[in-house]
Amino acid sequence: MKKKYIIGVDGGSQSSKVIIFDLEGNIVCEGKQNLRPMSLPAPGVVEHPDDDLWDSIVAASRLAMSSFSGNPEDIIGIGLCTIRFCRVLLKEDGTLASPAMSWMDERVSRPYEHINPSVKYVTTTSGYITHRLTGNFHDTAANYQGQWPINTDTWQWSEDPEVIKKMNIPREMLFHLKMPGTILGHMSEKAAQITGLPASIPVVATANDKAVEALGAGSLAENTALISLGTYIASMVHGHENPKDTMQFWTNFAAIPNHYLYESYGIRRGMWTVSWFKNLLGDDIALKAEALSITEEEYLNQEAQKVPAGSDGLMTVLDWLAPVHEPFKKGLMIGFDARHSGAHIYRSILEAIALTMKDRADAMCAELSIELDHIIVSGGGSNSSLFMQIFADVFGVPASRNIVNGSASLGSAICAAVAVGAYDSYQTATEKMVKIRDTFQPNKTNTDFYKRINDEVYKHITAYTDEILKKSYPIFR
């Protein structure tokens, strides 16, 4: 029997990745293209320049196919996952009417305003890329959260006139919705020529990027949380109900039809802060890492490993991107003394991510009346064994990372594998395709110490600093 392959597309906030998997979830080859810096033409406006989302997928696709040694005819499907909470305005022919709005753009948090007469369709990034690949005006239902006239119970467009009026998007401007794990269309000859991907293969609906990542991480048990380390960091657990008016989490569509993903409040510019600090060190860290023949990240982790839990009292508050309703918030580092080095700062940032997510995951779990017994950590940050141990110690439960840690691409492949009949269920597909790399057990001494830091100090910092920042905001904004 010939070996078959699935393509998983992960169009993220910082890069587009196109990965070809076999049906056991092993990476056969991959292509990656970094996105260009965001365009910031006016306050509150954050756009992907030109046609960067599509161009980056084209480049990544060509890289993946150039290193694929198998027969393209044995590629049986492609799962498509792109960034959530974006808004894309299209002309009648499906081309961009204006640059795609990032999830950080203030306009996406408000109802649509029809001010450009050339706009025929209002869609998501996944809807736009689906059209580029297939020519169809189809999109996954599971990428519509926020300012959209969606009925989250039925996974279809709302028929309530008040909802439609509030969101200001008439039905004729919206794409046709498809459920995750169903076929959106087939790769057009034109798209195949541009991307190098095989023509006529099924293009499969997945969901929003966090839901696809949760599926690809294999975190299906309701007492297992996924900690997703990305530009936006969140913790998530799966469930079957669609609770409304929740206080400590919000309910998202899962990548499994008629299932939901409960998502805690997260950290904006989360792993971006790690990159920010690395760039701040500049050539110094690059030269030291080069002298040891290791990466800059490995060097930072080696140095931070020497720093004790708690970073000798240095604490970081990760408000590097203030929410719209609290514009005064700023990032903080508090507790400096003469002991502190760059390694302390780095470890303090890692600890801040873990402590913040512990507090937000705990609040979500308390409202859901569940208790976590395991966490899975995904994203590039999970490559750090130090970071994984900090997560295990802070959460006080085993922390696992998978062989494929950029799990959105694998989640896309799982959706495609189910859609084309390679597996009969999501459960079977995840069991066959998701593989744990290793698991870190909590150190009880560190767990107790982190709990004391958090309960007595860390979670209370902003109650005091916010008042100062409110006063400084009018001066420095």
Side-chain angles (χ1 to χ4, degrees):
M1 182 177 177
K2 282 188 175 181
K3 196 165 190 176
K4 300 296 182 183
Y5 305 93
I6 297 281
I7 297 175
V9 175
D10 173 14
S13 294
Q14 299 185 52
S15 66
S16 291
K17 294 179 282 292
V18 175
I19 302 181
I20 302 178
F21 297 90
D22 63 22
L23 292 181
E24 287 72 52
N26 300 307
I27 294 177
V28 176
C29 58
E30 59 187 294
K32 176 182 176 182
Q33 178 66 38
N34 289 334
L35 295 181
R36 292 162 55 189
M38 293 291 183
S39 175
L40 309 170
V45 175
V46 185
E47 297 174 332
H48 291 277
D50 301 321
D51 204 358
D52 194 37
L53 295 177
W54 169 247
D55 292 342
S56 61
I57 287 177
V58 169
S61 298
R62 287 197 164 277
L63 285 171
M65 291 303 297
S66 69
S67 57
F68 178 60
S69 59
N71 187 342
E73 293 181 0
D74 294 326
I75 298 174
I76 59 176
I78 175 171
L80 175 63
C81 170
T82 63
I83 322 167
R84 64 181 179 170
F85 284 125
C86 299
R87 185 183 292 163
V88 186
L89 308 181
L90 304 180
K91 299 177 183 177
E92 187 169 2
D93 62 357
T95 60
L96 290 173
S98 57
M101 301 177 204
S102 162
W103 62 270
M104 294 180 282
D105 194 305
E106 290 181 3
R107 291 171 293 176
V108 305
S109 63
R110 301 192 296 263
Y112 169 66
E113 295 181 69
H114 188 58
I115 56 179
N116 181 349
S118 71
V119 174
K120 173 67 175 178
Y121 299 102
V122 184
T123 187
T124 65
T125 52
S126 53
Y128 173 55
I129 301 301
T130 294
H131 178 71
R132 292 301 301 258
L133 293 175
T134 69
N136 293 337
F137 292 97
H138 295 169
D139 196 5
T140 173
N143 200 20
Y144 285 88
Q145 291 279 0
Q147 300 295 320
W148 300 97
I150 188 81
N151 184 323
T152 58
D153 290 320
T154 65
W155 296 48
Q156 294 299 318
W157 296 123
S158 174
E159 297 180 1
D160 185 338
E162 289 301 315
V163 172
I164 297 169
K165 181 180 178 181
K166 179 182 177 182
M167 298 302 172
N168 199 35
I169 312 176
R171 177 66 186 84
E172 61 268 20
M173 297 185 77
L174 296 164
F175 279 25
H176 180 68
L177 296 181
K178 295 276 192 175
M179 295 296 273
T182 61
I183 295 173
L184 293 159
H186 293 78
M187 185 74 62
S188 70
E189 290 286 348
K190 179 180 179 181
Q193 291 177 3
I194 294 171
T195 62
L197 300 171
S200 301
I201 60 170
V203 178
V204 174
T206 66
N208 58 86
D209 51 356
K210 292 299 183 188
V212 180
E213 187 176 359
L215 176 66
S219 57
L220 301 183
E222 294 183 9
N223 293 88
T224 297
L226 171 67
I227 310 297
S228 168
L229 300 177
T231 306
Y232 179 76
I233 298 175
S235 63
M236 297 162 277
V237 293
H238 276 99
H240 300 279
E241 305 298 325
N242 183 22
K244 312 282 201 314
D245 302 319
T246 55
M247 299 296 294
Q248 301 298 336
F249 67 96
W250 56 282
T251 305
N252 192 4
F253 294 121
I256 303 172
N258 300 311
H259 286 61
Y260 294 90
L261 194 70
Y262 309 135
E263 184 173 329
S264 75
Y265 298 130
I267 303 172
R268 294 154 61 90
R269 285 192 178 167
M271 293 306 294
W272 177 94
T273 309
V274 177
S275 300
W276 165 84
F277 177 65
K278 185 183 73 172
N279 293 335
L280 203 63
L281 296 178
D283 292 339
D284 180 59
I285 181 179
L287 293 171
K288 289 177 178 177
E290 184 179 1
L292 296 171
S293 300
I294 58 177
T295 67
E296 294 171 21
E297 290 78 8
E298 288 173 322
Y299 175 78
L300 284 171
N301 283 302
Q302 283 186 12
E303 292 300 299
Q305 188 75 52
K306 304 170 187 176
V307 174
S311 301
D312 287 325
L314 181 61
M315 294 169 286
T316 298
V317 177
L318 293 162
D319 285 327
W320 259 251
L321 179 63
V324 173
H325 65 287
E326 294 179 307
F328 59 85
K329 282 188 172 290
K330 299 288 183 182
L332 298 168
M333 290 181 179
I334 187 169
F336 279 106
D337 63 37
R339 293 172 295 177
H340 294 128
S341 64
H344 284 81
I345 297 174
Y346 180 70
R347 181 172 183 127
S348 176
I349 292 172
L350 301 187
E351 290 176 333
I353 291 171
L355 287 165
T356 302
M357 293 318 303
K358 174 69 163 68
D359 289 341
R360 293 175 184 178
D362 282 352
M364 173 179 66
C365 290
E367 190 168 352
L368 287 167
S369 299
I370 63 173
E371 187 172 336
L372 297 179
D373 55 24
H374 186 206
I375 61 172
I376 299 171
V377 185
S378 70
S382 66
N383 286 321
S384 165
S385 293
L386 169 64
F387 206 3
M388 290 298 301
Q389 189 61 56
I390 289 172
F391 268 112
D393 291 346
V394 168
F395 275 75
V397 298
S400 298
R401 57 185 174 185
N402 294 330
I403 291 175
V404 178
N405 64 12
S407 56
S409 56
L410 182 55
S412 295
I414 289 170
C415 285
V418 173
V420 301
Y423 292 109
D424 61 2
S425 70
Y426 283 90
Q427 187 69 41
T428 302
T430 55
E431 289 172 357
K432 295 289 187 180
M433 298 180 74
V434 180
K435 299 178 177 67
I436 293 176
R437 176 179 167 188
D438 48 18
T439 299
F440 293 75
Q441 300 297 328
N443 177 308
K444 187 177 185 308
T445 299
N446 286 348
T447 297
D448 292 343
F449 186 49
Y450 280 126
K451 185 176 188 306
R452 183 183 178 193
I453 293 171
N454 199 21
D455 290 347
E456 297 182 19
V457 182
Y458 186 76
K459 64 174 60 174
H460 305 293
I461 292 174
T462 57
Y464 299 94
T465 57
D466 276 1
E467 296 308 309
I468 295 296
L469 293 173
K470 286 176 184 177
K471 294 179 180 180
S472 67
Y473 176 69
I475 300 173
F476 295 108
R477 70 176 178 179

